[in-house]
Every structure is written in C-alpha cells, then in structure tokens.
Amino acid sequence: MEVAIVPFVPSEDALASSDPGSDTEAQDLGSRLRKRFRRRSSGSVTMEQPRPSLYPRPDSDEPQRDDQYYLSDGSCILRVGNTLFNVHRSILSRDSSSFATLFTLPQGDTPEEGTSDARPIVLQGDTPNEFRNFLWALYALPHEITMVRSSQVDLNRLIDVAKMANKYSFKSTESWALEAIQKYIERKPSPLFNTIPPGFPFSPSPPPSALHDSKIQISRLIRLAQTCGHPKLLDTMVTVLRQLMSASLHYSYLAMTLSDELDLRELRGLAYMEILQRSLFLSGPDNRGHTGAEGDVQESPDGLERLVVSPAQRHRLLSGYYRLSKTWERLRAVPLPFDHAPSCGANWHQHACTQSWADFWKEKTKADGVLSLDLANVLGKLTFMLKEFDKWGSATYMHQECKVVAKRALHDKIKNIQESLPDFFYEGGEY
C-alpha cells in the first residue's frame, strides 16, 4: 500500500545531492554494482553486500540503498524519493505515530509491503535527506542528543526532525525538536544572525549564496512554526524578520511573500508598508527597460532601490497607497474627536478647550515634520503629532484633564491603524 502524503517542496540539499558526477570509471563501477544487486535481489541482503548508492546513475529509476540507514537487521523497508531505508518497525511504531496504525492494516493475499526492496512502503512528499535526519533523532545515542544544546547544533537537521515528526505524528519527538530550536534561536546573541552575510546590510553587494541561505533558513523556520502550530516560535521568527526587513529590501520581500502565502496578519501590513516607503516597485519589464525576476533588488543611478514584485503584489501596494492617502486626507481635515472631562464643563470654558485642540490640529498637520513624510505614511505623521502634543505644554487653553483624554484619543487612533494596516493592502477596489 502506498502512503499518500501532501508533498513538500524539496530542500536545497536534496536538489544539490542529485547532481551527477562526471567520472566515467565511477559510472561503470556503479553499473556493475547495480547488475550484481539485481542478481541477488531475490535473496537476503545484508550490510556487507555492495551498495549501489555509492555511484548512482542519474538516468536510472532504480532505488538506491541508503549508506547510513539501510540496516542489516532492519524489519521495514521504506522508499523515499529514490532511496531505500531499512529500519525497525518497533522504532517507527513509537510515540503513537501514524506508522503504528499503518503496520496494523490488513495486507490481504498480496505480499506485505515493506518486506523487500521490490515492495517497499513508499513515502510521498519527503526528501531522502529530511527522512535521514528524522531517523537520526530516532536512533541517536545520548551524547549525540545532548549536542543539540551546544554551539555545534545543526539547526537544519532539527528543522527536518520537527517537520517529519509533525507529519508522522511523533508528538514527543516534535515537542523536543521545537523546544531545542526555540532555545537555540533565543540565545544572546541569536546564532540565527550568524547566517547573515558579513557586512550586511552595509555591504552594497552581499554574497548571493549567503543571502540566499539566510532567507531559506528563516523561511523554513516560519513555515515550520505555523505548520506545527507553535505560536512562541512563530512570534520569535516574526520579530527576527521584522528587524531584518528594516535593514534590507531582500528581507522585506521575503516578509511580504510569506505573509501572503501563510496569511500572517501580524507581519503582512508591516512588510507591505516597509516596501511602500523604501522602494520603487515594478512587475516585469517597464517602459524604461527595467527587468528582473520577482524578488530582485536593483540599484539605479538615482540612488533609489527598485524591487521586482508580482503583478498581484504591485496591485496590493498601489491599493494600499491609495487607501492610506485617503485616510490621511480625512484625518487632516477634521481633528480627532474626544469627550471633555466632567470638570471641564464645570469650571472651564469648553468652547475654548475645543478651539485650542482644533488650532493644534490645524497647525501640526501642516508642520514641516508632517509634510516631509510620504502622503501614505499615516502612522509616521500621527506619531510626529503625538510628540508635538507632548511639547505643547502650558501653551494651550485646554483643560488639563481634557489634554489627557485628547492624547489618549491620538494614541488609540495610532493603535487602530497599526492593527488594521493589513486591511489596507488587499486586491479589489479603485486606486
């Protein structure tokens, strides 16, 4: 029986490991080993027999035995991609995993799957390297397990372990791996920032491979946190990405793309706003000949950065600009309302209090600090006005308690726009 699993995107390591060699002698040896393997496939196979996975042919569909986890005393043969693993059913049945249920299903009259290389249990959607790392967690010795709390921990291996444990319902293994990941990235300073290219973001041209690896690792961690339903890890990674996207459009684009794909509301509005304020964005070729793949950051002679986005992202960015601009126009025209304090009407002139607030609003919405900000930067404009209100001091005829209420109204408006920021960037409507 074939185990159908929702497929995952193959990892970079898996893709890299599939590159064929160019040594003719190695290919000839691999061919002889495969022929020898086919002649002996009807009998028992032990670890001492030749293993054709040493020299696999790129054009062959014949599965290759894993060098590490095709065990001579294994009792269950699984195929992941083009690799065969022979491990113990008792190990795979632990922790109330989905394998425990699989092994109890009736087989009928056909030969039981998992008992030979010719009839392995096929696992869909995994890469050999992911499954190999998962088996490491199941078979690791105590001193190997303790390594996850040292500086020598392999973070990508832990990500694979948590991902596979979640997929196959190894609950305690999943919890252990996620806890180890969380403690690792919470170190001070976080080792996660070691993946950032040296000199970044001040280096104008960071090494593409280092930048790529950094984005891949952050992306995997965020996807893992959401897949496993781990809010603490997700909050930590969102915080990390927010710090990075303020330094580079590369990470801003990553944040925007992930928030769209995974519906990360707490990240979506901030990512779109960051790109809206810091770059010119385009989708595909424009009338000046600018081209590039989505996510490319291009330098231009005028000193501005150009970010290549998808047509849908461009539409949402323009829609957000339009809606935020209109929001500011409405706020600028009419002062924020507030309720006068009870004592204001009893021993103060409410009319003078209201007029003083209106004068402040009219003056500060036209201040240089506000006008210097982009029309759509509503949060920046309101934050500037809040600072100016604190400086206003006694140069006002507002009742003291009313000043507290008015300041709270300004605070609440900023908070309301921050919370609703993702809603400004959606498709549909005019702009």
Side-chain angles (χ1 to χ4, degrees):
M1 64 196 72
E2 184 173 297
V3 181
I5 304 295
V6 177
F8 287 90
V9 177
S11 67
E12 297 292 324
D13 290 340
L15 293 175
S17 66
S18 65
D19 290 340
S22 59
D23 192 325
T24 304
E25 292 184 8
Q27 292 183 359
D28 291 340
L29 177 58
S31 178
R32 293 196 298 273
L33 289 173
R34 274 189 297 276
K35 291 178 181 178
R36 186 174 179 183
F37 170 72
R38 284 195 293 268
R39 287 196 299 269
R40 303 182 63 173
S41 61
S42 59
S44 61
V45 181
T46 66
M47 290 295 288
E48 287 73 29
Q49 290 180 302
R51 289 171 291 179
S53 57
L54 293 172
Y55 303 99
R57 287 175 59 90
D59 57 348
S60 173
D61 291 331
E62 182 180 336
Q64 311 298 318
R65 293 180 177 183
D66 187 67
D67 293 336
Q68 188 174 2
Y69 291 107
Y70 193 98
L71 307 178
S72 59
D73 62 344
S75 55
C76 180
I77 299 175
L78 306 103
R79 177 173 176 173
V80 181
N82 211 33
T83 302
L84 294 172
F85 297 88
N86 190 11
V87 292
H88 300 91
R89 289 187 176 226
S90 58
I91 295 292
L92 293 177
S93 299
R94 289 177 175 178
D95 210 7
S96 302
S97 72
S98 57
F99 287 104
T101 303
L102 175 66
F103 294 150
T104 61
L105 295 177
Q107 297 296 318
D109 298 330
T110 60
E112 186 175 0
E113 291 184 344
T115 56
S116 70
D117 289 3
R119 289 187 57 79
I121 296 175
V122 180
L123 303 182
Q124 301 284 0
D126 307 325
T127 69
N129 195 55
E130 288 174 339
F131 198 70
R132 189 178 299 112
N133 284 334
F134 174 60
L135 291 176
W136 168 85
L138 300 185
Y139 282 95
L141 296 173
H143 74 275
E144 295 175 313
I145 292 294
T146 57
M147 288 287 288
V148 302
R149 301 191 183 277
S150 72
S151 59
Q152 301 176 5
V153 61
D154 185 340
L155 181 57
N156 287 319
R157 171 184 278 176
L158 285 178
I159 294 173
D160 287 342
V161 171
K163 176 183 173 182
M164 294 292 97
N166 172 268
K167 180 177 180 179
Y168 295 114
S169 301
F170 285 76
K171 296 301 182 183
S172 63
T173 304
E174 177 188 350
S175 298
W176 168 81
L178 289 171
E179 181 184 0
I181 291 171
Q182 183 70 38
K183 289 184 177 180
Y184 177 79
I185 63 178
E186 284 182 345
R187 294 177 184 175
K188 302 296 181 181
S190 175
L192 193 61
F193 289 98
N194 293 338
T195 63
I196 308 301
F200 185 83
F202 306 104
S203 173
S205 300
S209 59
L211 183 62
H212 174 76
D213 292 345
S214 172
K215 292 191 295 183
I216 287 291
Q217 191 170 75
I218 291 172
S219 176
R220 293 191 71 205
L221 284 165
I222 289 179
R223 287 191 172 94
L224 176 70
Q226 192 184 62
T227 299
C228 296
H230 198 285
K232 186 177 181 180
L233 179 59
L234 183 59
D235 289 344
T236 301
M237 291 310 305
V238 167
T239 300
V240 168
L241 191 50
R242 286 176 62 177
Q243 294 173 348
L244 290 172
M245 72 181 187
S246 64
S248 169
L249 281 176
H250 291 281
Y251 291 100
S252 299
Y253 179 80
L254 176 64
M256 180 176 66
T257 303
L258 286 174
S259 62
D260 284 340
E261 176 189 340
L262 305 177
D263 194 23
L264 300 177
R265 182 176 174 82
E266 65 273 31
L267 186 62
R268 188 169 187 264
L270 293 173
Y272 271 88
M273 195 66 189
E274 190 74 28
I275 290 174
L276 192 65
Q277 294 179 34
R278 294 186 55 209
S279 71
L280 296 174
F281 47 87
L282 54 112
S283 55
D286 64 6
N287 56 9
R288 288 181 292 179
H290 296 115
T291 60
E294 292 177 12
D296 283 354
V297 178
Q298 305 172 349
E299 300 292 336
S300 61
D302 54 15
L304 294 174
E305 290 183 306
R306 289 182 170 85
L307 175 66
V308 183
V309 300
S310 69
Q313 289 170 335
R314 180 176 180 272
H315 186 97
R316 286 191 285 269
L317 284 163
L318 293 174
S319 297
Y321 186 90
Y322 172 81
R323 295 184 180 102
L324 286 166
S325 301
K326 288 297 181 182
T327 298
W328 172 247
E329 288 299 322
R330 291 192 294 268
L331 287 171
R332 181 190 61 78
V334 181
L336 283 178
F338 68 93
D339 296 327
H340 289 272
S343 56
C344 180
N347 55 20
W348 200 264
H349 299 292
Q350 277 195 7
H351 176 73
C353 185
T354 301
Q355 186 60 46
S356 185
W357 172 246
D359 291 343
F360 165 82
W361 197 263
K362 181 178 180 180
E363 175 187 343
K364 298 305 178 183
T365 53
K366 296 180 180 179
D368 290 341
V370 170
L371 295 178
S372 65
L373 298 174
D374 189 87
L375 188 61
N377 191 358
V378 182
L379 290 174
K381 293 175 183 290
L382 291 177
T383 301
F384 174 85
M385 293 179 64
L386 182 61
K387 293 178 180 178
E388 290 298 303
F389 189 74
D390 288 334
K391 298 176 184 177
W392 210 20
S394 59
T396 173
Y397 293 100
M398 286 188 73
H399 188 277
Q400 188 62 33
E401 293 184 17
C402 288
K403 289 174 67 176
V404 174
V405 176
K407 183 178 179 179
R408 185 182 305 121
L410 197 49
H411 263 298
D412 291 344
K413 176 55 68 173
I414 293 174
K415 182 179 179 181
N416 175 262
I417 292 178
Q418 286 175 332
E419 292 176 348
S420 61
L421 196 57
D423 299 329
F424 286 89
F425 299 94
Y426 66 89
E427 295 183 55
E430 299 178 0
Y431 58 83

